[in-house]
């Protein structure tokens, strides 16, 4: 098939093209006269602004009856020069519209401007997008910079400006770091070099002069040739994160150092019972190899029996002041142990144990006890010698009386001598028995006992003796005193000594009748007090200072000098103290103080 | 004239024995069971020697000695101690030294260690009064 040849004359074609072109233009096209009447407009214009026939331009563009203030058209008529401006108006549906308007004056042959051509491009959507991007650019929670190839900051978002001040136009090293030269590690340069994305770590200086740390990402802003024309640098402030990390690192190092150098063994297990910490002291204590771990089953065998169950059961720490652990060789080692549950947000996360080796302390304690024992033996021997010499003197006296009585034929002297011998031989046997009792000592076996009951029993025991001398003997218990871990027999012995001494002191008084012995017992601030007060003969300075320190008696051959020494020993074994106040002729008070916190552990076998 | 010896000893058996030894050997003995009335007795009886046991109830021998020595009327009377404590003489010197820190006193005239035998006591006295 053949197409007919185009036969229309060129003028006709020109006209048709113009007609078509006018309507086909992709932007609004209109013509106004000097009175601002719209005389011509294309389809795109009508699409944008609606019907225009017979209307003035401001009516159509702005939906306004009055001419625009500073009307661009009026000035174009006058200047005869084209103009471009950004305008806002109202579209055919009544919505606001943004458009770019070009004005081109049309001159007649005389050179007068009779009409203006107006070309309008709708930019509403573009402007909207531009604004959204700007908002995004400024509001993202990181600093964004656009840097050119000369390392000049072309743009900076609001966050960057808040942090660094007005840095646009500055070299990046100056604006960001207040430096005079480019950075040796420049993330932006890497992106310029290879067009790729790069990350880096930089310290910036804020406008207040503070140093802050940033994690930086640079991405290329592509140029037409595919290379990077500009670089966008995005930076997140990680100062706080780094500070937190530093704090954590420090805490961790500190903890590791403390754990590794601790004299105490430290063990920890996680919630599954797997070992997480076993410090060198623990390895030494348990005789474990360096890399050897342990299971929860093995741990249970190493620690005191029931210890793990107690830690698991309670929320509070488990404190075992004296217990034993079992090392890898099966040896039992005396230790002090503290066990704790590890809780993370209230959730069970494992257990930790701190274990103090008591072997050295035990050995020192034993040495100290031995030294004290030897000192006591020394005192005892000296005192024994003193007592023995006095007894020998009395025997010597008995023999002298016997011999001289016989030689002089004095029967009464013979009788006296025999009595003296008899009495002092009896005393020697009593003395030796007391000495042996003291030397042997007795292990304290504390049971839960009523402290006032012991005092009452001692007082009852002495009641008859006191009465026979006319001495008033009484117990005075003040307030309820709960039971305490006391060795009944030992405390009985102490009070027997003190009450016995007090009665003796009263009997040695010039006027025995009417003297009194009061045993007072009370508890204050968890300390149990016994006070034995007499108004007997009292003691002078020399006697007072020796009562506990020497093997000392004031009762001649009637005492062994061991009673108060024994009393002091027992009180000390109960973790208590004993002291006295005394005035010659006024009387004496012995005070025993037993703090509950230091009382012995109740012996379960008693 | 027999010398008068005052014995201060709380133990009756020893006191009686010593008094018997004294009277058997030409001395006049005077016994006290405790030191409270020592100065009064010394003033009343003007003994030629006071023999004191160191360890006694209520008042120690050392305290009696100090009182005698500090008394202008009585300080001329010789005083001797007797005791069964070990190193008695050293102990005595130390204790008296401590008690008389500020005003040094004339030391006691003697120390007799217990047990006291007849020969020891009489030998000491004879030598003292030679």
């Amino acid at each position: 098939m053949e197409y007919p040849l185009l036969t229309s004359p060129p003028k006709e074609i020109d006209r048709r093209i113009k007609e078509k072109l006018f309507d086909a233009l992709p932007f609004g096209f209109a013509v106004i006269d000097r009175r601002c009447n719209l005389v011509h407009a294309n389809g795109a214009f009508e699409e944008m602004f609606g019907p225009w026939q017979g209307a003035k331009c401001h009516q159509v563009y702005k939906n306004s009856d009055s001419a625009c203030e500073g009307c661009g058209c009026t000035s174009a008529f006058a200047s005869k020069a084209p103009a471009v401006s950004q305008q806002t108006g109202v579209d055919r549906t009544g919505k606001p519209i943004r458009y770019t308007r070009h004005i081109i004056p049309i001159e007649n042959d005389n050179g007068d401007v009779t009409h203006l051509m107006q070309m309008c491009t709708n930019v509403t959507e573009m402007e909207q997008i531009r604004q959204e991007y700007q908002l995004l650019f400024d509001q993202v929670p990181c600093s964004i910079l656009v840097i050119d190839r000369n390392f000049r900051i072309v743009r900076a978002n609001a966050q960057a400006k808040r942090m660094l001040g007005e840095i646009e136009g500055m070299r990046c090293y100056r604006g960001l770091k207040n430096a005079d030269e480019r950075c040796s590690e420049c993330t932006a340069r890497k992106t310029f070099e290879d067009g790729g994305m790069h990350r880096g770590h930089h310290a910036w200086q804020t406008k207040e002069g503070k140093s802050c740390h940033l994690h930086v990402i640079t991405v290329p802003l592509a140029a037409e040739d595919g290379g990077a024309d500009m670089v966008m640098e995005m930076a997140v402030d990680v100062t706080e994160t780094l500070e937190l990390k530093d704090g954590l690192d420090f805490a961790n190092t500190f903890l590791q150092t403390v754990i590794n150098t601790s004299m105490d063994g430290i063990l920890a297990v996680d919630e599954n019972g797997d070992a997480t910490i076993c410090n060198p002291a623990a390895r030494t204590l348990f005789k474990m190899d360096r890399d050897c771990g342990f299971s929860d089953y093995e741990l249970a065998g190493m620690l005191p029996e029931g210890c793990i169950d107690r830690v698991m059961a309670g929320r509070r720490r488990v404190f075992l002041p004296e217990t034993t652990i079992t090392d890898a060789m099966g040896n039992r080692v005396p230790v002090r142990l503290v066990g704790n549950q590890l809780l993370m947000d209230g959730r069970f996360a494992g257990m930790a144990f701190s274990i103090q080796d008591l072997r050295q302390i035990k050995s020192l304690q034993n040495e100290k006890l031995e030294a004290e024992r030897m000192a006591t033996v020394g005192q005892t021997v000296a005192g024994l010698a003193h007592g023995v010499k006095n007894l020998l003197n009395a025997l010597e006296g008995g023999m002298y009386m016997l011999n001289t009585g016989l030689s002089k034929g004095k029967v009464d002297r013979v009788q006296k001598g025999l009595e003296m011998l008899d009495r002092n031989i009896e005393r020697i046997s009593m003395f030796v028995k007391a000495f042996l009792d003291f030397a042997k000592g007795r292990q304290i076996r504390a049971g839960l006992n009523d402290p006032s009951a012991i005092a009452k029993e001692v007082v009852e025991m002495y009641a008859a003796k006191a009465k026979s001398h006319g001495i008033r003997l009484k117990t005075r218990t003040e307030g309820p005193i709960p039971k305490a871990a006391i060795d009944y027999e030992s405390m009985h012995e102490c009070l027997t000594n003190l009450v016995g001494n007090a009665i003796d002191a009263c009997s040695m008084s010039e006027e025995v009748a009417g003297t009194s012995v009061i045993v007072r017992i009370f508890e204050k601030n968890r300390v149990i007090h016994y006070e034995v007060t007499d108004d007997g003969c009292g003691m002078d300075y020399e006697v007072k200072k020796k009562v506990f320190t020497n093997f000392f008696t004031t009762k001649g051959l009637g005492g062994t000098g061991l009673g108060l020494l024994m009393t002091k020993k027992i009180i000390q074994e109960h973790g208590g103290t004993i002291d006295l106040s005394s005035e010659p002729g006024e009387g004496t008070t012995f005070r025993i103080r037993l703090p509950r916190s230091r009382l012995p552990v109740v012996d379960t076998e008693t | 004239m027999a010398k008068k010896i005052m014995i201060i000893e709380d133990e009756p058996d020893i006191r009686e024995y010593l008094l018997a030894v004294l009277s058997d050997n030409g001395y006049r003995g005077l016994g006290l069971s405790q030191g409270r009335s020592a100065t009064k007795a010394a003033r009343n009886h003007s003994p030629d020697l006071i023999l004191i046991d160191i360890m006694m109830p209520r008042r120690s021998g050392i305290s009696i000695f100090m009182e005698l020595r500090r008394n202008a009327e009585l300080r001329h009377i010789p005083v001797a101690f007797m005791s069964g404590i070990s190193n008695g003489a050293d102990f005595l010197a130390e204790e008296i030294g401590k008690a008389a820190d500020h005003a040094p006193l004339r030391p006691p005239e003697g120390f007799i260690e217990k047990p006291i035998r007849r020969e020891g006591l009489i030998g000491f006295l004879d030598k003292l009064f030679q």
Side-chain angles (χ1 to χ4, degrees):
Chain A
M1 180 180 174
E2 286 180 10
Y3 290 96
L5 285 170
L6 199 65
T7 53
S8 305
K11 206 175 173 185
E12 175 67 10
I13 290 171
D14 197 35
R15 188 185 63 81
R16 285 190 185 180
I17 286 172
K18 278 180 182 167
E19 254 180 30
K20 281 274 180 205
L21 183 68
F22 190 64
D23 264 341
L25 284 173
F27 48 82
F29 188 100
V31 179
I32 60 166
D33 63 16
R34 291 189 75 96
R35 291 201 183 110
C36 295
N37 293 314
L38 283 157
V39 294
H40 213 59
N42 71 351
F45 184 91
E46 197 165 325
E47 187 68 24
M48 277 166 75
F49 297 103
W52 52 272
Q53 289 83 353
K56 292 198 180 280
C57 72
H58 49 82
Q59 288 173 325
V60 175
Y61 283 118
K62 314 275 183 180
N63 197 17
S64 168
D65 285 335
S66 51
C68 308
E69 212 172 302
C71 172
C73 300
T74 312
S75 50
F77 275 116
S79 68
K80 301 181 184 177
V84 184
S85 61
Q86 297 295 326
Q87 297 285 326
T88 53
V90 181
D91 75 0
R92 68 187 165 94
T93 64
K95 281 186 190 160
I97 185 170
R98 283 174 171 273
Y99 55 97
T100 309
R101 187 182 66 185
H102 291 253
I103 298 174
I104 300 149
I106 303 168
E107 291 174 38
N108 61 12
D109 295 341
N110 298 331
D112 298 325
V113 178
T114 57
H115 292 82
L116 294 178
M117 284 194 290
Q118 296 179 328
M119 289 175 283
C120 302
T121 313
N122 187 350
V123 293
T124 310
E125 208 170 314
M126 225 163 68
E127 184 61 22
Q128 179 80 24
I129 289 167
R130 196 191 65 79
Q131 278 185 4
E132 281 173 8
Y133 270 98
Q134 184 65 42
L135 196 69
L136 190 69
F137 183 69
D138 281 337
Q139 298 305 316
V140 283
C142 65
S143 298
I144 300 177
L145 308 166
V146 178
I147 296 168
D148 70 11
R149 280 190 173 275
N150 294 319
F151 299 98
R152 203 172 281 283
I153 300 168
V154 179
R155 281 188 70 192
N157 75 342
Q159 167 93 354
K161 286 178 185 168
R162 268 198 300 275
M163 193 171 171
L164 303 156
E166 282 304 328
I167 50 169
E168 279 175 354
M170 292 167 91
R171 303 277 185 187
C172 60
Y173 43 85
R174 164 67 64 187
L176 306 180
K177 303 192 178 182
N178 199 21
D180 295 329
E181 288 176 13
R182 274 167 51 187
C183 314
S184 54
E185 277 293 313
C186 178
T187 318
R189 193 185 62 228
K190 288 179 188 166
T191 296
F192 278 127
E193 279 169 7
D194 64 8
M197 186 177 83
H198 288 275
R199 293 167 193 274
H201 201 94
H202 292 272
W204 289 0
Q205 203 179 65
T206 66
K207 60 183 176 188
E208 291 86 13
K210 260 170 57 184
S211 179
C212 57
H213 295 268
L214 294 110
H215 184 69
V216 169
I217 299 172
T218 50
V219 290
L221 290 180
E224 280 176 5
D225 61 1
D229 213 10
M230 307 253 194
V231 159
M232 185 185 280
E233 180 164 321
M234 288 170 281
V236 180
D237 190 347
V238 291
T239 312
E240 262 182 49
T241 314
L242 281 181
E243 278 170 4
L244 274 175
K245 188 175 168 292
D246 283 353
L248 270 176
D249 282 350
F250 175 78
N252 196 33
T253 308
F254 178 78
L255 206 63
Q256 284 301 326
T257 309
V258 169
I259 289 173
N260 285 330
T261 58
S262 168
M263 307 274 281
D264 292 349
I266 297 171
L267 295 177
V269 292
D270 62 16
E271 67 268 39
N272 301 318
D274 294 328
T276 51
I277 295 174
C278 181
N279 74 341
R283 293 193 179 281
T284 309
L285 194 59
F286 287 100
K287 291 196 167 69
M288 281 191 287
D289 294 335
R290 192 171 157 67
D291 301 318
C292 161
F294 51 83
S295 68
D296 51 350
Y297 175 75
E298 285 164 324
L299 182 68
M302 287 149 60
L303 296 178
E305 203 181 328
C307 172
I308 292 182
D309 292 341
R310 282 182 63 185
V311 174
M312 291 291 284
R315 293 269 143 166
R316 291 178 60 190
R317 68 176 198 153
V318 172
F319 176 54
L320 304 173
E322 275 193 42
T323 182
T324 51
I325 50 122
T326 310
D327 70 16
M329 306 295 162
N331 303 314
R332 289 166 78 80
V333 181
V335 295
R336 173 169 298 170
L337 184 145
V338 179
N340 278 304
Q341 273 193 27
L342 301 176
L343 298 173
M344 293 276 278
D345 300 327
R347 184 181 58 82
F348 177 73
M351 288 178 281
F353 300 91
S354 169
I355 306 160
Q356 183 188 9
D357 189 345
L358 290 184
R359 278 176 295 194
Q360 204 176 358
I361 291 171
K362 283 269 171 204
S363 137
L364 284 172
Q365 271 175 349
N366 286 340
E367 279 172 29
K368 183 168 171 276
L369 275 179
E370 183 62 18
E372 280 173 0
R373 203 180 67 79
M374 289 309 287
T376 310
V377 166
Q379 281 177 3
T380 308
V381 168
L384 183 65
H386 175 255
V388 167
K389 284 178 189 174
N390 267 314
L391 287 164
L392 281 174
N393 211 147
L395 289 175
E396 178 83 34
M399 286 301 290
Y400 179 85
M401 300 298 263
L402 184 62
N403 287 334
T404 53
L406 285 172
S407 63
K408 291 175 196 275
K410 288 183 181 171
V411 179
D412 61 333
R413 207 183 246 216
V414 171
Q415 184 63 34
K416 182 141 273 175
L418 286 173
E419 277 171 20
M420 279 165 73
L421 287 173
D422 206 28
R423 185 161 50 239
N424 288 292
I425 285 168
E426 175 62 28
R427 282 173 178 170
I428 286 179
S429 84
M430 179 191 82
F431 187 83
V432 169
K433 187 176 172 298
F435 172 70
L436 285 177
D437 281 351
F438 176 74
K440 195 165 60 188
R442 205 172 70 87
Q443 191 74 33
I444 285 283
R445 303 191 78 173
L448 269 185
N449 287 304
D450 176 358
S452 56
I454 306 173
K456 280 178 188 150
E457 197 177 302
V458 171
V459 165
E460 273 167 31
M461 195 178 80
Y462 274 109
K465 185 179 177 184
K467 199 175 174 187
S468 72
H469 285 81
I471 300 166
R472 207 160 58 94
L473 173 60
K474 272 194 157 179
T475 327
R476 197 184 293 157
T477 305
E478 293 167 18
I481 301 159
K483 287 186 173 183
I486 291 175
D487 181 342
Y488 194 95
E489 278 180 45
S490 299
M491 197 52 66
H492 193 280
E493 188 179 340
C494 288
L495 294 175
T496 302
N497 279 327
L498 296 182
V499 174
N501 281 351
I503 288 175
D504 287 347
C506 288
S507 350
M508 281 190 256
S509 194
E510 281 172 357
E511 287 176 41
V512 182
T515 55
S516 63
V517 174
I518 308 290
V519 181
R520 191 169 159 235
I521 168 158
F522 60 97
E523 181 166 351
K524 196 175 171 188
N525 300 331
R526 293 188 49 78
V527 179
I528 301 164
H529 295 247
Y530 286 104
E531 280 184 10
V532 181
T533 304
D534 68 68
D535 53 5
C537 62
M539 294 178 234
D540 74 4
Y541 175 73
E542 271 82 20
V543 175
K544 244 187 321 195
K545 72 178 180 183
K546 287 194 192 78
V547 287
F548 295 118
T549 56
N550 221 321
F551 200 102
F552 181 74
T553 177
T554 60
K555 297 179 191 167
L557 299 180
T560 59
L562 290 167
L564 283 180
L565 205 60
M566 193 70 183
T567 300
K568 189 176 185 184
K569 186 173 161 230
I570 291 168
I571 299 303
Q572 283 175 339
E573 281 169 344
H574 278 81
T577 56
I578 179 166
D579 57 31
L580 75 124
S581 55
S582 181
E583 285 299 323
E586 300 284 319
T588 304
T589 299
F590 278 90
R591 290 182 196 85
I592 296 172
R593 292 185 185 86
L594 301 171
R596 282 193 185 265
S597 59
R598 295 177 57 189
L599 285 174
V601 177
V602 172
D603 191 332
T604 47
E605 289 171 32
T606 51
Chain B
M1 182 82 181
K3 295 285 183 191
K4 203 190 286 176
I5 314 296
M6 194 162 104
I7 304 266
I8 309 177
E9 164 67 67
D10 62 302
E11 175 50 45
D13 283 354
I14 298 176
R15 195 169 64 238
E16 198 162 341
Y17 156 59
L18 294 176
L19 291 173
V21 170
L22 289 174
S23 68
D24 289 351
N25 291 278
Y27 287 94
R28 284 171 64 200
L30 176 71
L32 289 185
S33 68
Q34 41 119 333
R36 189 168 293 179
S37 49
T39 45
K40 195 176 160 192
R43 210 177 282 124
N44 291 344
H45 299 281
S46 301
D48 297 290
L49 172 73
I50 303 175
L51 192 55
I52 314 174
D53 183 23
I54 295 180
M55 286 191 186
M56 284 187 293
R58 287 185 262 190
R59 242 188 120 178
S60 76
I62 291 165
S63 143
I64 301 167
F65 168 78
M66 307 287 288
E67 194 181 337
L68 288 168
R69 278 290 198 260
R70 282 175 181 150
N71 186 317
E73 273 181 74
L74 306 171
R75 69 166 61 119
H76 67 280
I77 304 174
V79 177
F81 282 103
M82 51 186 172
S83 179
I85 54 175
S86 350
N87 303 321
D90 294 344
F91 170 79
L92 204 56
E94 194 184 320
E95 290 295 306
I96 291 172
K98 267 192 270 176
D101 251 356
H102 303 294
L105 301 171
R106 192 176 87 243
E109 274 66 23
F111 174 78
I112 309 172
E113 191 177 338
K114 286 181 178 177
I116 303 169
R117 306 202 70 152
R118 189 204 74 89
E119 297 77 15
L121 177 62
I122 298 307
F124 171 77
L125 295 176
D126 288 351
K127 197 176 163 194
L128 187 73
F129 297 119
Q130 218 171 32

